[in-house]
Amino acid sequence: MNTVQDFIVSLELPETGHRPFLQNPPAQASNSTRPEEAAVVLGDSLVSFVSGLSQQAREDVLNSTLLMQLAASKRFDKARQREEWFNFYTEGLGKLGWTVSHNEMQRYKPSAKAFTLNEVVLDIIDGVSGGSAFSPIARRTFESLRKQPHALELFLENCNDGHVGTFQIMPCTQNAEGDVTMLMTCMQVVRNTTSSSILFVTFQNNDVQIYRAAQTAVLNTQTYSQVREAVIAKLGDNAKRFLAHLSL
């Protein structure tokens, strides 16, 4: 057994883990002019795919990020151990085949006095080198999430802990060689209130403290293929409530 497989086996997951994204997701009921685009709520992550990503690549993205999301949350309290959670999450992704540069969660102050967090996320994405290519799919994903209460409830349930909200926004593309590029945007929002609302509501600048890390990450699919089955085996067959498909 190689060291990466040892690492996967050693991971501890919450006892109330969730179903991995495996084969043949349900077809989306959508009249989108971009039928190959897709997006899902995956716990506290919002993952979207531009047209052209293979089904295998989508599964690999969701399974690998889900595994590290659960493992990081088992080891650290993400609301109170932001840096430790983030470092374990990104370092684990690196072991699975993602190229992720070290990027700390840093304080971010929007220029506007009043804002919604979905617009703040889009501003952060636009500010990353090459991020503008991801903005359209990220914006459509937010618009879809706003219109689907069940998916929004699932997202809020998993990202909120009292007055702290922690979540990831991750639009993805795939190149001709099959490798996947993801703009990994990790956010933590500390609010003055314990309201469960976090997106699509207006905050004043002094109502929240925002921390973010945003960078492009690349999944080498050949490298990941060597641990794909180990990741699926580790995730197991858990509750179905963790994943919700969005109609773009």
Side-chain angles (χ1 to χ4, degrees):
M1 183 180 292
N2 63 36
T3 56
V4 178
Q5 290 174 327
D6 283 336
F7 168 72
I8 293 169
V9 170
S10 72
L11 292 173
E12 295 185 18
L13 305 184
E15 293 182 3
T16 55
H18 303 283
R19 178 179 65 87
F21 186 88
L22 298 174
Q23 302 296 327
N24 302 320
Q28 297 188 57
S30 174
N31 58 0
S32 173
T33 58
R34 305 172 180 84
E36 294 186 32
E37 291 184 344
V40 300
V41 171
L42 192 70
D44 64 10
S45 294
L46 196 57
V47 187
S48 50
F49 305 104
V50 301
S51 59
L53 266 85
S54 67
Q55 181 61 36
Q56 185 64 70
R58 298 175 193 218
E59 293 166 8
D60 292 347
V61 169
L62 294 174
N63 281 334
S64 60
T65 57
L66 173 58
L67 178 65
M68 290 316 305
Q69 180 187 141
L70 293 175
S73 296
K74 172 66 175 178
R75 180 167 294 198
F76 299 106
D77 182 337
K78 63 184 177 183
R80 297 165 183 81
Q81 297 175 291
R82 177 181 63 249
E83 290 293 344
E84 293 89 344
W85 187 98
F86 176 73
N87 289 338
F88 187 80
Y89 175 72
T90 54
E91 288 171 7
L93 289 178
K95 293 177 181 179
L96 298 182
W98 288 92
T99 299
V100 184
S101 60
H102 183 70
N103 189 359
E104 295 179 356
M105 294 277 281
Q106 297 178 334
R107 181 76 181 271
Y108 179 84
K109 292 188 177 181
S111 56
K113 292 183 179 180
F115 50 82
T116 61
L117 286 175
N118 50 301
E119 290 297 336
V120 167
V121 172
L122 292 172
D123 287 342
I124 290 172
I125 289 174
D126 281 334
V128 177
S129 177
S132 60
F134 295 90
S135 294
I137 186 70
R139 186 176 295 277
R140 286 191 291 276
T141 301
F142 278 131
E143 291 170 354
S144 177
L145 182 65
R146 185 202 296 265
K147 299 173 183 177
Q148 298 183 63
H150 170 72
L152 180 57
E153 181 181 357
L154 175 67
F155 179 76
L156 294 174
E157 175 186 316
N158 284 280
C159 75
N160 276 315
D161 183 355
H163 65 288
V164 181
T166 308
F167 58 92
Q168 290 75 241
I169 308 297
M170 303 188 297
C172 302
T173 63
Q174 187 174 22
N175 64 20
E177 289 71 38
D179 292 337
V180 176
T181 299
M182 174 174 68
L183 204 162
M184 186 173 68
T185 310
C186 298
M187 304 283 297
Q188 185 170 93
V189 182
V190 183
R191 295 157 291 179
N192 293 337
T193 68
T194 57
S195 168
S196 62
S197 297
I198 192 167
L199 297 174
F200 316 122
V201 294
T202 300
F203 290 101
Q204 301 296 319
N205 218 319
N206 58 356
D207 289 339
V208 294
Q209 297 177 32
I210 300 174
Y211 299 87
R212 65 94 176 94
Q215 60 184 303
T216 54
V218 178
L219 176 63
N220 185 309
T221 51
Q222 289 188 335
T223 299
Y224 182 75
S225 67
Q226 300 173 27
V227 298
R228 179 180 293 128
E229 295 306 317
V231 170
I232 291 174
K234 185 66 179 182
L235 282 168
D237 185 16
N238 299 308
K240 296 181 179 180
R241 68 180 180 85
F242 200 67
L243 183 146
H245 293 265
L246 298 174
S247 298
L248 296 182

